C-alpha cells in the first residue's frame, strides 16, 4: 500500500472530508505512539508502512520511550489533530487497526507489549480486538 492508498483508506474509514484531515489523524496517532514506545519498536512498527507514513513514529519524534498514560496519549493526538478527545480516541483506534493490517503480526504484538495493560491502553486496540474495521458494533469509546 502506498501513501495515497493509506491516507485514502484512513479518510474512508474515518469519514473525513479531505486528505489533509486523514494525514493529520495518521500523523497525530503514529507520532504519539512513537513518543510512547522505544525507538527500536517504533522503527519495527514503521518498517512496513509507506515511506511517508514511516516518518511519523520515527523521524518526527524528538524523544522515544516517554512514560505517559492513555489520557495523555489521547490529549496529544487531539492536540495535533485539532479535534476533541473523543474523536481523537476513535481516530487513533481506526488508524491503529489499519496499521495492524499493514505490519507483520510480530511487530504489532511488540507494539502491544510496549504498552501497560493496566492503564486503559487496551482501548487503543478496541477496533482490532472487535475484529477490525467494519466488523465491530458501533464506535469504540474513549
Amino acid at each position: 500500500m502506498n501513501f495515497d492508498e493509506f491516507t485514502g483508506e484512513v479518510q474512508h474509514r474515518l469519514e473525513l472530508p479531505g486528505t489533509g484531515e486523514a494525514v493529520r489523524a495518521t500523523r497525530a496517532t503514529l507520532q504519539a505512539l512513537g513518543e510512547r514506545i522505544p525507538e527500536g519498536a517504533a522503527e519495527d512498527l514503521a518498517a512496513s508502512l509507506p515511506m511517508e507514513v514511516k516518518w511519523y513514529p520515527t523521524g518526527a519524534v524528538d524523544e522515544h520511550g516517554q512514560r505517559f498514560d492513555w489520557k495523555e496519549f489521547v490529549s496529544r493526538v487531539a492536540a495535533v489533530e485539532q479535534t476533541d478527545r473523543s474523536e481523537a480516541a476513535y481516530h487513533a483506534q481506526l488508524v491503529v487497526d489499519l496499521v495492524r493490517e499493514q505490519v507483520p503480526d510480530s511487530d504489532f504484538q511488540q507494539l502491544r507489549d510496549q504498552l501497560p495493560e493496566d492503564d486503559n491502553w487496551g482501548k487503543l486496540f478496541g477496533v482490532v480486538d472487535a475484529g477490525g474495521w467494519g466488523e465491530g458494533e458501533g464506535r469504540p469509546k474513549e
Side-chain angles (χ1 to χ4, degrees), residues 42-99:
E43 290 171 356
D44 290 346
L45 184 68
S48 299
L49 299 175
M51 180 178 62
E52 299 88 343
V53 176
K54 286 180 187 181
W55 175 255
Y56 303 141
T58 58
V61 173
D62 292 328
E63 181 184 347
H64 294 276
Q66 297 175 40
R67 295 291 181 209
F68 52 83
D69 63 12
W70 166 250
K71 287 185 178 189
E72 175 62 19
F73 171 80
V74 172
S75 292
R76 290 180 186 208
V77 173
V80 171
E81 198 176 344
Q82 301 172 358
T83 191
D84 63 45
R85 289 177 42 81
S86 178
E87 283 294 303
Y90 175 65
H91 291 178
Q93 291 167 338
L94 286 173
V95 168
V96 165
D97 184 56
L98 180 57
V99 167

Side-chain angles (χ1 to χ4, degrees), residues 22-50:
V23 170
R24 205 167 29 251
T26 302
R27 183 184 77 220
T29 299
L30 295 179
Q31 184 172 343
L33 273 177
E35 291 168 347
R36 180 60 176 82
I37 63 177
E39 185 174 5
E43 290 171 356
D44 290 346
L45 184 68
S48 299
L49 299 175

Side-chain angles (χ1 to χ4, degrees), residues 11 20-21 28 42 61 64 75 81 96-98 105 107-108 112 114 124 127:
Q11 181 180 352
E21 292 89 347
V61 173
H64 294 276
S75 292
E81 198 176 344
V96 165
D97 184 56
L98 180 57
D105 290 342
D107 292 340
F108 193 77
R112 291 186 87 136
Q114 296 297 322
L124 182 61
V127 174

Side-chain angles (χ1 to χ4, degrees), residues 23 29 54 60 72 101 108-109 111 115 117 121 131 136:
V23 170
T29 299
K54 286 180 187 181
E72 175 62 19
E101 294 174 14
F108 193 77
Q109 186 59 50
L111 168 64
L115 302 171
E117 292 181 26
W121 281 100

